[in-house]
Amino acid sequence: MKFDRIRVSAALAALACMVPQAAYAEESGSGAEILIPKPAEFIPALVIFLIILAVLGKLVWPSVLAMFEQREKTIADSLKEADETRAHSAEVRAQADSVIADARRQASDIVLSARSDAEKERARIVAEAHSEAEDIISKARDRAEDEMQRAYANATDTIAKTSVAIAGKIVGDVLADDPAKQRELIEKYIAEVGSLHA
């Protein structure tokens, strides 16, 4: 129907071009006579118009229709491609949004994991430090106890030797001859000193 209108328009344009201009120029009479063509001019003009219309319809018109159809197809293809491109870009954007959301979630998980690991490491270091401090304190106590025992043993030995020396001077030769009595006297003295010390 669209092409029928185009044909009619083209036919009217061709008809307007074929009407002899001289007929209008020669007529200087009333206005109605100008509108009615003379049969001697009208029939050859009509025949020429129909011949030109037939030639145009056979040779030119199919090319024009093919060009219009090609143009219509090109426009339809362009619109289809634009729709496909729009759909593809929406899909790509959705994928990109998904990747970004996943990356943000993974980053959040990594931060939380790092905080948890740091807290565990801090707790381990603090526990290790407490354990080392307890070991150091325990070793220091053991050393102090050992030093006290050594000092006590040295003091006992010194006291015993001093006591023997003093007792030897006091008692004289009686104790010097009997080592068993010396030992008994030293142990008794150490026991007394130990009970006083305790």
Side-chain angles (χ1 to χ4, degrees):
M1 182 171 182
K2 183 165 113 177
F3 296 119
D4 291 337
R5 288 182 188 168
I6 294 172
R7 281 184 182 175
V8 170
S9 300
L12 290 176
L15 179 64
C17 290
M18 291 183 182
V19 174
Q21 297 295 327
Y24 291 112
E26 292 176 3
E27 299 269 338
S28 57
S30 69
E33 291 176 359
I34 293 176
L35 295 178
I36 301 171
K38 295 181 183 176
E41 295 173 353
F42 178 71
I43 293 175
L46 182 61
V47 170
I48 292 172
F49 171 73
L50 292 176
I51 292 171
I52 291 175
L53 184 61
V55 169
L56 288 176
K58 286 288 184 186
L59 299 178
V60 178
W61 195 247
S63 299
V64 171
L65 289 179
M67 183 184 72
F68 282 138
E69 287 175 4
Q70 181 64 31
R71 179 71 178 153
E72 186 177 350
K73 183 181 177 202
T74 303
I75 291 171
D77 289 345
S78 296
L79 290 174
K80 182 180 177 184
E81 185 177 342
D83 288 341
E84 289 173 357
T85 304
R86 188 179 315 126
H88 179 68
S89 77
E91 181 180 329
V92 168
R93 181 177 176 110
Q95 289 174 353
D97 289 344
S98 173
V99 167
I100 289 170
D102 189 43
R104 286 181 179 161
R105 183 188 53 77
Q106 287 178 357
S108 176
D109 290 347
I110 289 170
V111 168
L112 290 176
S113 176
R115 284 182 185 165
S116 174
D117 290 346
E119 185 62 30
K120 287 177 186 175
E121 186 63 20
R122 186 190 69 78
R124 185 190 65 77
I125 290 171
V126 168
E128 192 175 296
H130 280 294
S131 176
E132 287 177 6
E134 289 294 326
D135 287 346
I136 291 170
I137 291 170
S138 175
K139 287 177 184 175
R141 284 184 184 153
D142 290 345
R143 272 194 210 136
E145 187 69 31
D146 289 345
E147 291 294 323
M148 193 165 60
Q149 290 294 331
R150 255 188 252 126
Y152 182 69
N154 287 339
T156 303
D157 189 44
T158 305
I159 290 171
K161 287 179 183 175
T162 306
S163 298
V164 168
I166 293 172
K169 295 215 183 224
I170 295 174
V171 176
D173 293 330
V174 175
L175 286 176
D177 292 338
D178 191 6
K181 283 203 173 210
Q182 281 180 359
R183 176 76 54 205
E184 184 182 332
L185 183 62
I186 289 170
E187 287 177 3
K188 180 180 174 191
Y189 181 72
I190 289 173
E192 287 177 6
V193 171
S195 66
L196 289 175
H197 178 69

